[in-house]
Amino acid sequence: MRLSALMIRLVVFAVAAFGAFTAARSAVAIVEERSVIAVRETLVDKGYEWASVLGDGLQVILEGTAPTEAVRFRAISAAGEMVDASRVIDNLSVADSEEIKAPEFAIEILRNDAGVSLIGLIPASADRDDLAERITDIADGKPVTDLLEVADYPEPETWRDAVNYSLRALEELPRSKISVNAERVVINAISDSPEEKRRLETLLARNTPDSIRLAVNIGAPRPVISPFTTRFRIDADGAQFDACAVDTEEALSQVLSAASAAGLTERANCTLALGTPSQTWGEAVALSIGAVADLGGGTVTIADTDVTLIAPLGTGQGTFDDVVGELENALPPAFALSSELPERPETSSGGPPQFTATLSPEGEVQLRGRIPDAVTNTVAENFANAKFGQASITMGTRLANGLPSGWSVRVLAGIEALSKLSNGAVIVQPDNIQVRGNTGNQDASAEISRLLIDKLGQGAAFEVDVTYVEQLDPIAGLPTPEECIEQIGVVTENRKITFDPSSADISASAQAVVDDIAEILKRCGDLRIRVAGYTDSQGREVMNQALSQQRAEAVLTALQSRRVPVGTFDAIGYGESDPIADNETEAGREANRRIEFSLIIPESTAEETSVLDEIAAEAPDEEPSEDAPAADDGSD
């Protein structure tokens, strides 16, 4: 019985122990599974998919390769948030660090009246001495502050193109900041006038390396206009401005909105300027334009604080009074209004007196029509000579009595208005002046209107119909680089640059050719041009190459002495290579002795192509060959 009872106890104990063990195993498995799932979900949510999670009892094992040490630490911390940190086993590794990337090479260049400053990082392979020399030349005696650092990394392919372009730009910009890297050049500068701003923008846009992105921001002081004038009219040709000046962007918006509502469809050339007499200028002009629209036509002139409204012929008195009254009460206090309702002129069998001045595209000026006396006739001729320079003046005027008061002033004002045009005509009548023609000045219409208002008064009736022609604009009409080379070819088609025998001295007879080439290049602006020298095959090859180099450099020096900017030019002698004719004949040798001008195209964008303009060199090129007689008979 005792044995039996003991066995029962042992069996019960064993069963209980087995049950407890099984329950513990099951509990551990559940805890392990839930821990692994919780940690894995957390790592995935936080973007650590590269980590794998394993369970080992109550421990959670992390394996995988972290991109950086910091990311590895964050992954372990994320796992520790879900289970006790002591249960997290770190089996993570870290990827090998990448090689250190090359730094970005860049230069900030600041130029002002105090000198030139440079700061930035340049490649060790860059020619720092050459850079310093070019900057010193540009500074023209003013201090140069060099804060450049050097890094020994490979030079970007487009680095030199960007730097060379920036230095060429710096020569033209005495007050500027230029930011340079291998891909982009950013230019911020200040010019002396709007005209200079346009010239610089045109110049900088030309010959830009194709591999470089360019951003240009050139500021210019606003012009001072006196009297501050806007003139708007509506006639049979529609609504248009003869002159338009505003002081702020807000005023510009007011004026253009009013003009658009009055029927203006063309682009208005309004000038942001200084000299406004009142801060309410935009409001006054907009109201005045609205009055012209209400009249259905006419002209309004706002000069400083004086507003002159002229109704169209045939306007009813009631309508005129209503519009004038509304405008007079609406204008800001500083402005004074005068108005005019024209009457129909009486017809005359003889017709009104008239004076006409015309300017041809070739510069020929003709003055015709009625003049009150001989003194006025002489004054008109001398005034035309002064305004048109060396133009040919043809006088077709005749003396007449009974001309209106102020006729002489109107004639001289018409001649001066004509001088603002490239070609055109001015017709002066007692009640009107008509100015029509072409110009290369975008502001010519406004300048003519201000001139006539100043000379004849605000109430003067005149019509200005001037067309801007880009080809006549001395800035926008600059020739392209290819056109410059073509023009050199035209100039030198039947003439040659010659040299003294066996030397690199340009002969006296060739100086005129160089003069003409220099004038073309001055108009062409900043170009990259190669001046190449060639010889015939007589004499030793080494001597031929040396002489051709000297002659190419002589042409470059001659251009520089004529104030051609040759900083971007290259002079290269090719000797007897690339003949264009047979060296066995005298005519062929003469053709092979030549200077060629070609455009330099950056290697990074294309192979060099050129429109060659051959300027044959008259004189022989080298010492006699070893087989030739040595006597000097005045030829090579």
Side-chain angles (χ1 to χ4, degrees):
M1 289 294 292
R2 289 182 182 177
L3 182 59
S4 179
L6 181 59
M7 288 298 295
I8 291 171
R9 291 189 180 94
L10 290 175
V11 170
V12 171
F13 180 78
V15 171
F18 178 78
F21 176 77
T22 302
R25 286 290 300 273
S26 299
V28 168
I30 293 172
V31 171
E32 176 184 342
E33 182 180 1
R34 291 182 177 179
S35 297
V36 169
I37 293 174
V39 171
R40 183 180 293 124
E41 290 177 349
T42 298
L43 295 180
V44 171
D45 290 342
K46 294 190 176 184
Y48 307 137
E49 293 89 348
W50 46 266
S52 60
V53 183
L54 303 176
D56 184 8
L58 297 179
Q59 292 180 328
V60 176
I61 303 171
L62 302 183
E63 294 183 347
T65 302
T68 65
E69 183 64 34
V71 174
R72 168 185 165 276
F73 179 78
R74 287 196 291 269
I76 295 172
S77 299
E81 294 174 0
M82 304 308 300
V83 299
D84 189 276
S86 61
R87 293 170 52 196
V88 179
I89 305 301
D90 176 18
N91 282 345
L92 298 174
S93 59
V94 180
D96 294 336
S97 299
E98 297 180 359
E99 294 184 2
I100 299 176
K101 294 182 180 180
E104 179 183 3
F105 294 113
I107 305 176
E108 294 282 343
I109 309 175
L110 178 65
R111 183 184 179 192
N112 53 35
D113 295 337
V116 179
S117 300
L118 299 93
I119 186 171
L121 184 68
I122 62 175
S125 59
D127 190 341
R128 187 161 186 171
D129 292 337
D130 178 67
L131 177 62
E133 182 179 352
R134 294 178 66 180
I135 292 292
T136 301
D137 291 342
I138 293 172
D140 195 21
K142 294 180 180 178
V144 175
T145 304
D146 186 347
L147 301 177
L148 294 176
E149 299 290 340
V150 175
D152 191 8
Y153 286 90
E155 180 181 299
E157 182 179 355
T158 57
W159 172 254
R160 295 195 181 187
D161 285 344
V163 172
N164 288 334
Y165 174 81
S166 300
L167 294 182
R168 296 198 301 271
L170 190 67
E171 292 180 10
E172 301 287 340
L173 304 171
R175 293 179 295 279
S176 60
K177 176 186 176 184
I178 302 180
S179 303
V180 189
N181 62 31
E183 299 177 352
R184 188 178 186 189
V185 176
V186 179
I187 298 175
N188 292 282
I190 299 175
S191 63
D192 295 330
S193 64
E195 292 76 16
E196 178 69 3
K197 175 180 182 292
R198 290 177 57 216
R199 185 190 74 82
L200 290 173
E201 288 174 340
T202 302
L203 186 64
L204 294 172
R206 304 175 66 215
N207 204 28
T208 306
D210 292 342
S211 57
I212 305 300
R213 290 180 293 133
L214 177 64
V216 176
N217 179 25
I218 299 180
R222 292 184 180 181
V224 178
I225 295 178
S226 181
F228 207 77
T229 305
T230 293
R231 179 182 172 93
F232 181 82
R233 62 187 169 95
I234 300 177
D235 55 20
D237 296 327
Q240 58 186 301
F241 283 101
D242 290 329
C244 181
V246 292
D247 56 334
T248 64
E249 292 287 350
E250 180 182 359
L252 177 62
S253 178
Q254 288 179 298
V255 170
L256 294 183
S257 295
S260 178
L264 180 70
T265 56
E266 299 180 354
R267 177 180 176 273
N269 186 24
C270 291
T271 304
L272 280 169
L274 302 176
T276 177
S278 170
Q279 295 181 348
T280 57
W281 173 264
E283 178 185 357
V285 173
L287 290 169
S288 302
I289 292 173
V292 176
D294 292 340
L295 288 172
T299 303
V300 65
T301 304
I302 308 95
D304 289 339
T305 56
D306 296 322
V307 181
T308 302
L309 178 65
I310 301 177
L313 195 65
T315 301
Q317 186 67 51
T319 301
F320 177 74
D321 291 340
D322 291 343
V323 172
V324 170
E326 291 179 5
L327 178 60
E328 195 166 25
N329 286 281
L331 282 173
F335 292 85
L337 173 65
S338 61
S339 56
E340 179 182 342
L341 180 59
E343 298 180 359
R344 295 186 181 275
E346 297 180 1
T347 59
S348 173
S349 58
Q354 182 171 290
F355 172 85
T356 302
T358 60
L359 172 63
S360 72
E362 296 76 25
E364 301 288 332
V365 177
Q366 294 186 351
L367 306 182
R368 303 184 182 278
R370 304 182 193 182
I371 294 290
D373 51 57
V375 173
T376 302
N377 196 52
T378 302
V379 170
E381 183 177 7
N382 292 338
F383 189 62
N385 277 313
K387 286 296 180 182
F388 297 98
Q390 300 300 319
S392 176
I393 308 296
T394 301
M395 297 297 294
T397 55
R398 63 187 181 89
L399 304 183
N401 296 321
L403 295 175
S405 174
W407 186 257
S408 299
V409 176
R410 297 175 71 82
V411 167
L412 296 179
I415 294 174
E416 187 170 358
L418 184 66
S419 69
K420 304 289 185 181
L421 304 179
S422 298
N423 58 79
V426 173
I427 301 174
V428 179
Q429 296 176 326
D431 58 350
N432 189 34
I433 293 181
Q434 300 176 18
V435 183
R436 291 183 171 82
N438 300 317
T439 178
N441 179 6
Q442 291 184 340
D443 299 324
S445 179
E447 292 177 5
I448 292 171
S449 297
R450 287 194 292 269
L451 165 68
L452 296 178
I453 291 170
D454 181 53
K455 302 295 183 183
L456 308 179
Q458 286 185 244
F462 57 84
E463 300 175 18
V464 179
D465 185 8
V466 173
T467 302
Y468 169 73
V469 180
E470 185 175 357
Q471 289 77 4
L472 300 175
D473 192 328
I475 296 175
L478 286 175
T480 65
E482 292 76 13
E483 290 172 343
C484 289
I485 300 297
E486 292 173 3
Q487 289 177 15
I488 293 176
V490 171
V491 166
T492 59
E493 184 175 4
N494 298 314
R495 296 186 295 172
K496 301 176 181 179
I497 289 183
T498 58
F499 296 86
D500 292 339
S502 300
S503 78
D505 296 330
I506 299 175
S507 64
S509 61
Q511 297 299 326
V513 181
V514 181
D515 289 339
D516 292 342
I517 295 173
E519 289 302 316
I520 292 173
L521 292 174
K522 287 177 184 178
R523 296 193 300 268
C524 289
D526 182 19
L527 296 180
R528 300 188 65 190
I529 289 181
R530 175 168 295 133
V531 182
Y534 295 89
T535 69
D536 58 32
S537 61
Q538 288 186 324
R540 295 191 299 273
E541 182 176 350
V542 174
M543 294 298 295
N544 287 341
Q545 196 282 328
L547 185 58
S548 66
Q549 179 68 37
Q550 293 168 5
R551 288 185 169 178
E553 292 176 353
V555 173
L556 197 63
T557 301
L559 293 173
Q560 186 175 25
S561 68
R562 289 162 171 79
R563 306 184 68 83
V564 175
V566 297
T568 58
F569 289 19
D570 285 340
I572 300 179
Y574 292 99
E576 60 190 57
S577 61
D578 298 329
I580 61 173
D582 186 0
N583 275 307
E584 298 300 321
T585 66
E586 178 57 34
R589 289 192 293 272
E590 182 178 345
N592 289 331
R593 296 190 293 266
R594 68 196 191 275
I595 297 290
E596 293 183 348
F597 288 80
S598 64
L599 296 175
I600 299 175
I601 300 177
E603 295 179 359
S604 59
T605 59
E607 294 183 2
E608 182 181 345
T609 59
S610 59
V611 182
L612 299 179
D613 298 276
E614 300 175 3
I615 309 171
E618 180 80 18
D621 305 294
E622 65 290 299
E623 297 179 351
S625 64
E626 295 178 358
D627 297 330
D632 183 4
D633 60 356
S635 63
D636 293 4

